[in-house]
Amino acid sequence: MTVGLATLANGLRIVTDPIDTVATVSIGLWVDVGTRHESAKVNGVAHFLEHMAFKGTKRRSALAIAEEIEAVGGHLNAYTSRESTAYYAKVLKEDVGLALDILADILQHSTFEPNELERERMVILQEIGQTHDTPDDIVFDYFQECAYPDQAMGRPVLGSPEIIKQISRKSVVSYLKDHYGASRMVLSAAGNLDHDAIVALADKLLSGLPAELAVSTEPARYVGGEHRQSRDLEQLHLVLGFPGLPLDHPDYYAAAVLSTAFGGGMSSRLFQEVREKRGLVYAISSFAHSYRDGGLFGIYAGTGEEEAAELLPVLCEETTKLDKGFAPVELARAKAQMKAGLLMSLESTSARCEQMAQHMLIHGTPFDPDDLVRRVDAVDDAAIARVVAGWRGGSPTLVALGPVGRLEDFARLQARLNG
Protein backbone atom coordinates (compact mmCIF):
# COMPACT_ATOMS: atom_id res chain seq x y z
CA MET A 1 0.00 0.00 0.00
CA THR A 2 1.57 3.30 -1.13
CA VAL A 3 -0.06 6.17 0.70
CA GLY A 4 0.35 9.70 -0.60
CA LEU A 5 0.58 12.70 1.74
CA ALA A 6 0.53 16.43 1.16
CA THR A 7 -0.33 19.63 3.05
CA LEU A 8 -1.63 22.81 1.41
CA ALA A 9 -0.37 26.25 2.41
CA ASN A 10 -3.49 26.82 4.54
CA GLY A 11 -2.84 23.64 6.56
CA LEU A 12 -5.30 21.27 4.85
CA ARG A 13 -3.88 17.76 5.02
CA ILE A 14 -4.36 15.41 2.07
CA VAL A 15 -4.01 11.64 2.22
CA THR A 16 -4.54 9.31 -0.74
CA ASP A 17 -4.61 5.54 -1.01
CA PRO A 18 -4.25 4.42 -4.67
CA ILE A 19 -5.92 1.13 -5.65
CA ASP A 20 -5.55 0.48 -9.37
CA THR A 21 -7.65 -2.70 -9.36
CA VAL A 22 -10.95 -0.86 -8.85
CA ALA A 23 -12.95 1.50 -11.04
CA THR A 24 -14.12 3.90 -8.31
CA VAL A 25 -12.83 6.59 -5.99
CA SER A 26 -14.14 7.43 -2.51
CA ILE A 27 -13.26 10.97 -1.50
CA GLY A 28 -14.25 13.21 1.37
CA LEU A 29 -13.47 15.98 3.79
CA TRP A 30 -13.32 15.16 7.49
CA VAL A 31 -13.53 18.02 9.97
CA ASP A 32 -12.15 17.69 13.48
CA VAL A 33 -15.21 19.18 15.17
CA GLY A 34 -18.55 17.74 16.22
CA THR A 35 -21.26 17.85 18.85
CA ARG A 36 -18.88 18.29 21.78
CA HIS A 37 -17.67 21.56 20.25
CA GLU A 38 -21.11 23.19 20.60
CA SER A 39 -22.42 25.29 23.46
CA ALA A 40 -25.43 23.96 25.34
CA LYS A 41 -27.61 26.73 23.90
CA VAL A 42 -27.12 25.50 20.31
CA ASN A 43 -26.79 21.76 20.88
CA GLY A 44 -27.46 20.14 17.51
CA VAL A 45 -26.03 22.97 15.40
CA ALA A 46 -23.14 20.85 14.03
CA HIS A 47 -25.65 18.33 12.70
CA PHE A 48 -27.91 21.14 11.46
CA LEU A 49 -24.97 22.57 9.49
CA GLU A 50 -24.24 19.16 7.97
CA HIS A 51 -27.82 19.03 6.68
CA MET A 52 -27.75 22.58 5.36
CA ALA A 53 -24.53 22.04 3.39
CA PHE A 54 -26.57 20.13 0.79
CA LYS A 55 -29.29 22.76 0.45
CA GLY A 56 -27.77 25.06 -2.11
CA THR A 57 -24.68 27.11 -2.93
CA LYS A 58 -24.07 30.28 -4.92
CA ARG A 59 -23.95 28.27 -8.15
CA ARG A 60 -25.91 25.11 -7.35
CA SER A 61 -29.40 24.63 -6.00
CA ALA A 62 -30.16 21.71 -3.69
CA LEU A 63 -31.68 19.90 -6.67
CA ALA A 64 -28.63 20.61 -8.83
CA ILE A 65 -26.31 19.12 -6.21
CA ALA A 66 -28.33 15.90 -6.19
CA GLU A 67 -28.74 15.79 -9.96
CA GLU A 68 -25.06 16.39 -10.77
CA ILE A 69 -23.73 13.63 -8.55
CA GLU A 70 -26.44 11.14 -9.53
CA ALA A 71 -26.05 11.94 -13.24
CA VAL A 72 -22.68 10.18 -13.08
CA GLY A 73 -23.98 7.36 -10.85
CA GLY A 74 -22.25 8.72 -7.78
CA HIS A 75 -23.25 8.94 -4.13
CA LEU A 76 -22.93 11.94 -1.82
CA ASN A 77 -23.45 11.83 1.93
CA ALA A 78 -22.36 13.17 5.31
CA TYR A 79 -22.50 12.42 9.03
CA THR A 80 -21.92 14.17 12.33
CA SER A 81 -20.45 12.51 15.41
CA ARG A 82 -19.45 13.84 18.80
CA GLU A 83 -15.91 14.65 17.71
CA SER A 84 -15.93 14.96 13.91
CA THR A 85 -18.06 15.73 10.86
CA ALA A 86 -17.62 14.16 7.42
CA TYR A 87 -18.72 15.02 3.89
CA TYR A 88 -17.92 12.35 1.31
CA ALA A 89 -18.69 10.95 -2.12
CA LYS A 90 -18.10 7.82 -4.15
CA VAL A 91 -17.82 8.06 -7.93
CA LEU A 92 -16.26 6.39 -10.95
CA LYS A 93 -12.59 7.32 -11.32
CA GLU A 94 -13.23 9.73 -14.20
CA ASP A 95 -15.65 11.76 -12.07
CA VAL A 96 -13.45 12.44 -9.05
CA GLY A 97 -13.01 16.07 -10.16
CA LEU A 98 -16.77 16.64 -10.10
CA ALA A 99 -17.07 15.03 -6.66
CA LEU A 100 -14.38 17.22 -5.14
CA ASP A 101 -15.80 20.32 -6.82
CA ILE A 102 -19.19 19.66 -5.23
CA LEU A 103 -17.65 18.96 -1.82
CA ALA A 104 -15.57 22.13 -1.99
CA ASP A 105 -18.60 24.11 -3.11
CA ILE A 106 -20.92 23.03 -0.31
CA LEU A 107 -18.34 23.71 2.39
CA GLN A 108 -17.31 27.13 1.11
CA HIS A 109 -20.23 28.64 -0.77
CA SER A 110 -23.45 27.39 0.83
CA THR A 111 -26.07 30.13 0.97
CA PHE A 112 -28.23 28.85 3.83
CA GLU A 113 -31.40 30.22 2.28
CA PRO A 114 -34.00 30.94 4.99
CA ASN A 115 -36.71 28.90 3.28
CA GLU A 116 -34.40 25.90 2.93
CA LEU A 117 -33.36 26.26 6.55
CA GLU A 118 -36.95 26.17 7.77
CA ARG A 119 -37.71 23.09 5.68
CA GLU A 120 -34.61 21.35 6.98
CA ARG A 121 -35.50 22.29 10.53
CA MET A 122 -38.70 20.27 10.10
CA VAL A 123 -36.74 17.35 8.63
CA ILE A 124 -34.41 17.29 11.64
CA LEU A 125 -37.35 17.44 14.05
CA GLN A 126 -38.79 14.40 12.27
CA GLU A 127 -35.40 12.68 12.55
CA ILE A 128 -35.36 13.33 16.29
CA GLY A 129 -38.91 12.00 16.56
CA GLN A 130 -37.97 8.84 14.69
CA THR A 131 -35.01 8.29 16.99
CA HIS A 132 -37.21 8.67 20.08
CA ASP A 133 -39.60 6.12 18.57
CA THR A 134 -36.71 3.63 18.21
CA PRO A 135 -35.88 2.44 21.74
CA ASP A 136 -32.80 0.41 20.83
CA ASP A 137 -31.41 3.62 19.31
CA ILE A 138 -32.37 6.33 21.79
CA VAL A 139 -31.21 4.22 24.75
CA PHE A 140 -27.61 4.93 23.67
CA ASP A 141 -28.22 8.70 23.80
CA TYR A 142 -29.56 8.30 27.32
CA PHE A 143 -26.52 6.19 28.19
CA GLN A 144 -24.13 8.85 26.89
CA GLU A 145 -25.92 11.58 28.84
CA CYS A 146 -25.97 9.52 32.02
CA ALA A 147 -22.26 8.73 31.77
CA TYR A 148 -21.33 12.35 30.97
CA PRO A 149 -24.06 14.49 32.59
CA ASP A 150 -24.28 18.28 32.18
CA GLN A 151 -21.40 18.52 29.72
CA ALA A 152 -20.75 18.65 26.00
CA MET A 153 -19.74 14.99 25.68
CA GLY A 154 -23.10 13.88 27.03
CA ARG A 155 -25.35 15.89 24.73
CA PRO A 156 -27.16 14.24 21.79
CA VAL A 157 -25.81 14.69 18.28
CA LEU A 158 -29.25 15.62 16.93
CA GLY A 159 -30.02 18.08 19.70
CA SER A 160 -33.42 18.43 21.37
CA PRO A 161 -36.64 19.56 19.69
CA GLU A 162 -36.77 22.63 21.93
CA ILE A 163 -33.32 23.81 20.84
CA ILE A 164 -33.67 22.86 17.16
CA LYS A 165 -36.86 24.94 16.95
CA GLN A 166 -34.89 27.98 18.13
CA ILE A 167 -31.57 27.66 16.26
CA SER A 168 -31.15 30.63 13.93
CA ARG A 169 -29.54 30.96 10.54
CA LYS A 170 -26.90 33.13 12.20
CA SER A 171 -26.00 30.30 14.60
CA VAL A 172 -25.52 27.84 11.74
CA VAL A 173 -23.41 30.25 9.69
CA SER A 174 -21.36 31.23 12.75
CA TYR A 175 -20.62 27.61 13.61
CA LEU A 176 -19.23 27.09 10.11
CA LYS A 177 -17.11 30.24 10.18
CA ASP A 178 -15.82 29.61 13.70
CA HIS A 179 -15.02 25.90 13.42
CA TYR A 180 -14.23 24.85 9.83
CA GLY A 181 -10.55 25.83 9.55
CA ALA A 182 -8.30 24.06 7.03
CA SER A 183 -5.84 22.94 9.69
CA ARG A 184 -8.67 20.99 11.36
CA MET A 185 -9.58 19.20 8.11
CA VAL A 186 -8.35 16.17 6.23
CA LEU A 187 -9.07 15.46 2.58
CA SER A 188 -8.97 11.70 2.11
CA ALA A 189 -9.32 9.68 -1.08
CA ALA A 190 -9.03 5.98 -1.86
CA GLY A 191 -9.43 4.12 -5.13
CA ASN A 192 -8.26 4.41 -8.72
CA LEU A 193 -6.66 7.83 -8.45
CA ASP A 194 -3.53 9.85 -9.08
CA HIS A 195 -2.13 11.49 -5.94
CA ASP A 196 -0.65 14.52 -7.69
CA ALA A 197 -3.91 15.15 -9.54
CA ILE A 198 -5.88 15.08 -6.28
CA VAL A 199 -3.44 17.51 -4.66
CA ALA A 200 -3.65 19.87 -7.65
CA LEU A 201 -7.45 19.78 -7.56
CA ALA A 202 -7.46 20.42 -3.82
CA ASP A 203 -5.10 23.34 -4.20
CA LYS A 204 -7.38 24.84 -6.85
CA LEU A 205 -10.65 24.25 -5.00
CA LEU A 206 -9.81 24.41 -1.29
CA SER A 207 -6.91 26.82 -0.88
CA GLY A 208 -9.41 29.53 0.01
CA LEU A 209 -10.41 27.81 3.26
CA PRO A 210 -9.38 29.80 6.34
CA ALA A 211 -6.27 28.39 7.94
CA GLU A 212 -6.19 28.19 11.71
CA LEU A 213 -9.32 28.55 13.84
CA ALA A 214 -8.99 28.16 17.60
CA VAL A 215 -11.59 25.61 18.73
CA SER A 216 -12.01 24.61 22.36
CA THR A 217 -14.23 22.25 24.31
CA GLU A 218 -14.62 21.25 27.92
CA PRO A 219 -12.83 18.05 28.98
CA ALA A 220 -14.88 14.85 29.16
CA ARG A 221 -15.62 13.92 32.79
CA TYR A 222 -17.07 10.44 33.31
CA VAL A 223 -19.56 10.47 36.19
CA GLY A 224 -21.93 7.53 35.75
CA GLY A 225 -25.22 6.88 37.48
CA GLU A 226 -28.60 5.57 36.41
CA HIS A 227 -31.53 6.55 34.24
CA ARG A 228 -34.70 4.45 34.14
CA GLN A 229 -37.58 5.35 31.89
CA SER A 230 -40.80 3.38 32.04
CA ARG A 231 -42.38 2.87 28.61
CA ASP A 232 -45.14 0.62 27.38
CA LEU A 233 -42.87 -1.66 25.34
CA GLU A 234 -42.68 -5.39 24.83
CA GLN A 235 -38.93 -5.34 25.47
CA LEU A 236 -36.71 -3.77 28.09
CA HIS A 237 -33.70 -2.10 26.48
CA LEU A 238 -30.76 -1.92 28.84
CA VAL A 239 -27.21 -0.56 28.67
CA LEU A 240 -24.74 -1.21 31.50
CA GLY A 241 -21.37 0.49 31.21
CA PHE A 242 -18.14 1.75 32.70
CA PRO A 243 -15.44 4.35 31.98
CA GLY A 244 -13.42 3.46 28.92
CA LEU A 245 -10.10 4.53 27.42
CA PRO A 246 -9.12 7.48 25.21
CA LEU A 247 -8.04 6.91 21.62
CA ASP A 248 -4.34 7.32 22.32
CA HIS A 249 -4.22 5.10 25.40
CA PRO A 250 -1.65 2.25 25.30
CA ASP A 251 -4.42 -0.24 26.14
CA TYR A 252 -6.85 1.00 23.48
CA TYR A 253 -6.49 -2.22 21.47
CA ALA A 254 -6.79 -4.34 24.60
CA ALA A 255 -10.22 -2.77 25.24
CA ALA A 256 -11.24 -3.58 21.66
CA VAL A 257 -10.10 -7.21 21.98
CA LEU A 258 -11.86 -7.47 25.34
CA SER A 259 -15.11 -6.19 23.83
CA THR A 260 -14.90 -8.67 20.97
CA ALA A 261 -14.23 -11.64 23.24
CA PHE A 262 -16.86 -10.58 25.78
CA GLY A 263 -19.76 -9.69 23.50
CA GLY A 264 -18.61 -9.36 19.91
CA GLY A 265 -20.20 -12.35 18.23
CA MET A 266 -22.15 -15.58 18.58
CA SER A 267 -19.17 -17.33 20.17
CA SER A 268 -18.65 -14.57 22.75
CA ARG A 269 -19.16 -15.13 26.43
CA LEU A 270 -22.23 -12.93 26.72
CA PHE A 271 -23.99 -14.44 23.72
CA GLN A 272 -23.31 -17.99 24.84
CA GLU A 273 -24.11 -17.52 28.52
CA VAL A 274 -26.97 -15.03 28.44
CA ARG A 275 -28.76 -15.94 25.23
CA GLU A 276 -27.83 -19.52 24.35
CA LYS A 277 -27.62 -21.11 27.81
CA ARG A 278 -30.16 -19.04 29.74
CA GLY A 279 -32.46 -17.68 27.01
CA LEU A 280 -32.72 -14.31 28.75
CA VAL A 281 -32.33 -12.07 25.70
CA TYR A 282 -32.81 -11.88 21.98
CA ALA A 283 -30.03 -9.34 21.44
CA ILE A 284 -26.86 -8.81 23.47
CA SER A 285 -23.50 -7.25 22.66
CA SER A 286 -20.67 -5.24 24.15
CA PHE A 287 -18.87 -2.19 22.81
CA ALA A 288 -15.81 -0.04 23.44
CA HIS A 289 -16.16 3.60 22.37
CA SER A 290 -13.12 5.86 22.64
CA TYR A 291 -12.78 9.63 22.41
CA ARG A 292 -9.88 12.08 22.52
CA ASP A 293 -9.92 12.29 26.31
CA GLY A 294 -12.14 9.50 27.54
CA GLY A 295 -14.26 6.58 26.55
CA LEU A 296 -17.00 4.13 27.44
CA PHE A 297 -17.24 0.37 27.68
CA GLY A 298 -20.75 -1.03 27.70
CA ILE A 299 -23.13 -3.94 27.34
CA TYR A 300 -26.42 -3.63 25.48
CA ALA A 301 -29.23 -6.15 26.01
CA GLY A 302 -32.83 -6.41 24.93
CA THR A 303 -35.01 -8.61 27.13
CA GLY A 304 -38.60 -9.33 28.11
CA GLU A 305 -40.31 -8.01 31.21
CA GLU A 306 -40.32 -11.43 32.88
CA GLU A 307 -36.61 -11.97 32.30
CA ALA A 308 -35.50 -8.49 33.39
CA ALA A 309 -35.08 -9.34 37.08
CA GLU A 310 -32.69 -12.20 36.32
CA LEU A 311 -30.75 -10.43 33.57
CA LEU A 312 -28.96 -7.74 35.57
CA PRO A 313 -27.44 -10.11 38.18
CA VAL A 314 -26.22 -12.35 35.37
CA LEU A 315 -24.59 -9.41 33.59
CA CYS A 316 -22.89 -8.41 36.84
CA GLU A 317 -21.69 -11.97 37.39
CA GLU A 318 -20.24 -12.22 33.88
CA THR A 319 -18.59 -8.81 34.26
CA THR A 320 -16.90 -9.70 37.55
CA LYS A 321 -15.65 -12.97 36.01
CA LEU A 322 -13.53 -10.85 33.71
CA ASP A 323 -11.15 -10.32 36.64
CA LYS A 324 -9.90 -13.83 35.87
CA GLY A 325 -9.27 -13.00 32.22
CA PHE A 326 -9.95 -15.10 29.14
CA ALA A 327 -8.80 -18.54 28.13
CA PRO A 328 -6.10 -18.49 25.42
CA VAL A 329 -8.57 -19.85 22.87
CA GLU A 330 -11.01 -17.00 23.60
CA LEU A 331 -8.35 -14.34 23.12
CA ALA A 332 -7.09 -15.97 19.94
CA ARG A 333 -10.61 -16.11 18.51
CA ALA A 334 -11.29 -12.45 19.34
CA LYS A 335 -8.02 -11.36 17.75
CA ALA A 336 -8.81 -13.36 14.61
CA GLN A 337 -12.23 -11.71 14.40
CA MET A 338 -10.73 -8.24 14.68
CA LYS A 339 -7.98 -8.83 12.14
CA ALA A 340 -10.32 -10.46 9.64
CA GLY A 341 -12.80 -7.63 10.01
CA LEU A 342 -10.08 -5.08 9.35
CA LEU A 343 -8.70 -6.85 6.29
CA MET A 344 -12.17 -7.44 4.85
CA SER A 345 -13.07 -3.78 5.30
CA LEU A 346 -9.99 -2.77 3.30
CA GLU A 347 -11.62 -4.27 0.22
CA SER A 348 -13.95 -1.24 0.25
CA THR A 349 -12.68 2.11 -1.03
CA SER A 350 -15.15 3.88 1.26
CA ALA A 351 -13.83 2.10 4.35
CA ARG A 352 -10.22 2.78 3.39
CA CYS A 353 -10.98 6.44 2.76
CA GLU A 354 -12.60 6.83 6.17
CA GLN A 355 -9.91 4.85 8.00
CA MET A 356 -7.23 7.09 6.53
CA ALA A 357 -9.11 10.28 7.38
CA GLN A 358 -9.90 9.34 10.97
CA HIS A 359 -6.35 8.16 11.64
CA MET A 360 -4.96 11.43 10.29
CA LEU A 361 -7.35 13.45 12.47
CA ILE A 362 -6.57 11.51 15.62
CA HIS A 363 -2.92 10.54 15.27
CA GLY A 364 -1.60 12.78 12.50
CA THR A 365 -0.28 9.81 10.54
CA PRO A 366 -1.72 7.53 7.81
CA PHE A 367 -3.53 4.38 8.80
CA ASP A 368 -1.23 1.35 8.68
CA PRO A 369 -3.11 -1.99 8.76
CA ASP A 370 0.07 -3.96 9.42
CA ASP A 371 0.72 -1.87 12.53
CA LEU A 372 -2.84 -2.41 13.73
CA VAL A 373 -2.48 -6.18 13.30
CA ARG A 374 0.73 -6.08 15.35
CA ARG A 375 -0.99 -4.11 18.11
CA VAL A 376 -3.91 -6.54 18.24
CA ASP A 377 -1.53 -9.52 18.36
CA ALA A 378 0.38 -7.87 21.22
CA VAL A 379 -2.66 -7.75 23.53
CA ASP A 380 -2.05 -10.05 26.48
CA ASP A 381 -3.69 -11.06 29.76
CA ALA A 382 -2.03 -8.20 31.65
CA ALA A 383 -3.46 -5.59 29.25
CA ILE A 384 -6.95 -7.08 29.56
CA ALA A 385 -6.62 -7.00 33.35
CA ARG A 386 -5.64 -3.31 33.30
CA VAL A 387 -8.74 -2.42 31.29
CA VAL A 388 -11.06 -4.31 33.64
CA ALA A 389 -9.37 -2.84 36.72
CA GLY A 390 -10.32 0.62 35.47
CA TRP A 391 -13.99 -0.21 36.00
CA ARG A 392 -13.71 -1.04 39.67
CA GLY A 393 -14.39 1.30 42.55
CA GLY A 394 -16.27 4.01 40.69
CA SER A 395 -19.86 4.29 39.60
CA PRO A 396 -21.18 2.20 36.72
CA THR A 397 -23.73 3.63 34.30
CA LEU A 398 -27.10 1.93 33.97
CA VAL A 399 -29.80 3.02 31.54
CA ALA A 400 -33.04 1.10 31.11
CA LEU A 401 -35.97 1.87 28.81
CA GLY A 402 -39.25 -0.04 28.79
CA PRO A 403 -40.84 -2.21 31.51
CA VAL A 404 -38.28 -1.34 34.21
CA GLY A 405 -40.25 -2.36 37.31
CA ARG A 406 -38.47 -5.67 37.89
CA LEU A 407 -34.92 -4.34 37.77
CA GLU A 408 -33.05 -4.33 41.08
CA ASP A 409 -31.98 -1.02 42.59
CA PHE A 410 -28.78 0.78 41.69
CA ALA A 411 -27.12 0.35 45.09
CA ARG A 412 -27.46 -3.43 44.82
CA LEU A 413 -26.02 -3.30 41.31
CA GLN A 414 -22.98 -1.35 42.53
CA ALA A 415 -22.46 -3.83 45.36
CA ARG A 416 -22.48 -6.74 42.92
CA LEU A 417 -19.92 -5.08 40.65
CA ASN A 418 -17.58 -3.75 43.33
CA GLY A 419 -17.95 -6.46 45.96
Side-chain angles (χ1 to χ4, degrees):
M1 184 169 66
T2 305
V3 174
L5 289 172
T7 303
L8 299 186
N10 61 2
L12 177 71
R13 289 162 289 171
I14 302 168
V15 57
T16 62
D17 183 5
I19 312 166
D20 59 11
T21 56
V22 299
T24 63
V25 176
S26 294
I27 187 167
L29 283 155
W30 272 257
V31 193
D32 198 17
V33 291
T35 304
R36 71 175 302 187
H37 302 96
E38 306 165 342
S39 70
K41 292 181 179 178
V42 290
N43 174 216
V45 71
H47 176 254
F48 207 140
L49 169 59
E50 173 227 307
H51 273 240
M52 287 304 300
F54 296 91
K55 298 305 169 185
T57 70
K58 294 176 182 177
R59 60 190 177 96
R60 290 181 172 100
S61 66
L63 177 59
I65 292 170
E67 287 180 338
E68 284 190 39
I69 197 72
E70 292 182 0
V72 297
H75 306 282
L76 187 66
N77 213 333
Y79 67 80
T80 305
S81 70
R82 286 185 166 82
E83 295 194 302
S84 65
T85 310
Y87 304 83
Y88 55 93
K90 185 171 184 175
V91 292
L92 296 176
K93 61 181 180 179
E94 58 267 26
D95 300 312
V96 68
L98 172 66
L100 186 53
D101 184 67
I102 293 174
L103 290 169
D105 194 22
I106 65 176
L107 289 184
Q108 295 177 102
H109 307 299
S110 285
T111 53
F112 305 104
E113 292 293 334
N115 289 341
E116 289 285 358
L117 189 138
E118 292 307 317
R119 277 193 291 269
E120 208 57 30
R121 190 192 308 277
M122 298 308 298
V123 170
I124 294 170
L125 289 171
Q126 292 173 45
E127 185 179 0
I128 293 172
Q130 180 176 322
T131 300
H132 280 266
D133 285 346
T134 311
D136 56 348
D137 190 354
I138 194 63
V139 71
F140 288 97
D141 272 358
Y142 295 153
F143 175 71
Q144 190 81 20
E145 183 179 6
C146 194
Y148 295 106
D150 302 316
Q151 54 187 295
M153 185 56 84
R155 296 180 197 127
V157 171
L158 301 184
S160 68
E162 295 76 20
I163 294 175
I164 295 301
K165 289 176 183 177
Q166 300 298 321
I167 286 180
S168 66
R169 179 182 183 277
K170 181 180 178 181
S171 295
V172 177
V173 174
S174 295
Y175 187 87
L176 171 65
K177 290 182 176 179
D178 294 342
H179 293 80
Y180 277 40
S183 61
R184 301 190 68 87
M185 294 185 185
V186 169
L187 171 64
S188 180
N192 199 323
L193 56 82
D194 177 84
H195 171 76
D196 291 337
I198 295 291
V199 174
L201 271 171
D203 192 43
K204 175 185 175 183
L205 297 170
L206 295 164
S207 60
L209 284 168
E212 181 65 35
L213 291 175
V215 176
S216 62
T217 186
E218 61 183 311
R221 297 171 288 99
Y222 175 87
V223 177
E226 67 169 334
H227 173 80
R228 305 179 188 217
Q229 185 178 119
S230 181
R231 280 201 197 180
D232 185 16
L233 301 172
E234 290 295 324
Q235 283 243 303
L236 171 73
H237 299 270
L238 179 149
V239 182
L240 172 65
F242 312 93
L245 302 176
L247 288 160
D248 62 354
H249 195 281
D251 289 328
Y252 168 82
Y253 291 97
V257 171
L258 166 59
S259 178
T260 303
F262 192 41
M266 291 189 294
S267 64
S268 68
R269 279 194 183 182
L270 287 176
F271 193 93
Q272 286 297 312
E273 181 65 30
V274 182
R275 174 175 162 152
E276 297 297 280
K277 292 182 182 179
R278 298 177 185 256
L280 291 177
V281 300
Y282 172 69
I284 190 163
S285 59
S286 63
F287 57 88
H289 291 166
S290 292
Y291 308 108
R292 292 298 183 93
D293 55 354
L296 293 169
F297 189 99
I299 303 163
Y300 164 78
T303 189
E305 183 175 6
E306 297 297 321
E307 293 79 15
E310 185 181 351
L311 175 62
L312 205 51
V314 171
L315 293 183
C316 292
E317 180 183 354
E318 291 303 310
T319 301
T320 56
K321 283 181 183 178
L322 292 175
D323 292 334
K324 299 178 181 178
F326 292 101
V329 66
E330 291 179 286
L331 271 188
R333 188 165 57 234
K335 291 178 182 181
Q337 282 180 261
M338 287 189 63
K339 291 184 289 186
L342 165 69
L343 297 174
M344 290 176 185
S345 74
L346 294 181
E347 296 178 0
S348 159
T349 61
S350 299
R352 288 171 79 145
C353 177
E354 180 165 17
Q355 289 271 27
M356 284 290 175
Q358 292 287 3
H359 209 270
M360 287 293 295
L361 284 183
I362 295 161
H363 302 291
T365 59
F367 173 71
D368 181 355
D370 293 334
D371 180 60
L372 189 149
V373 167
R374 286 191 294 270
R375 290 174 183 269
V376 170
D377 280 334
V379 172
D380 56 17
D381 293 337
I384 297 290
R386 287 193 296 270
V387 175
V388 174
W391 305 345
R392 305 298 182 230
S395 173
T397 301
L398 174 68
V399 172
L401 178 61
V404 299
R406 292 174 180 259
L407 288 178
E408 67 182 21
D409 64 57
F410 192 64
R412 178 59 178 150
L413 169 71
Q414 288 184 291
R416 288 184 187 276
L417 291 170
N418 294 321

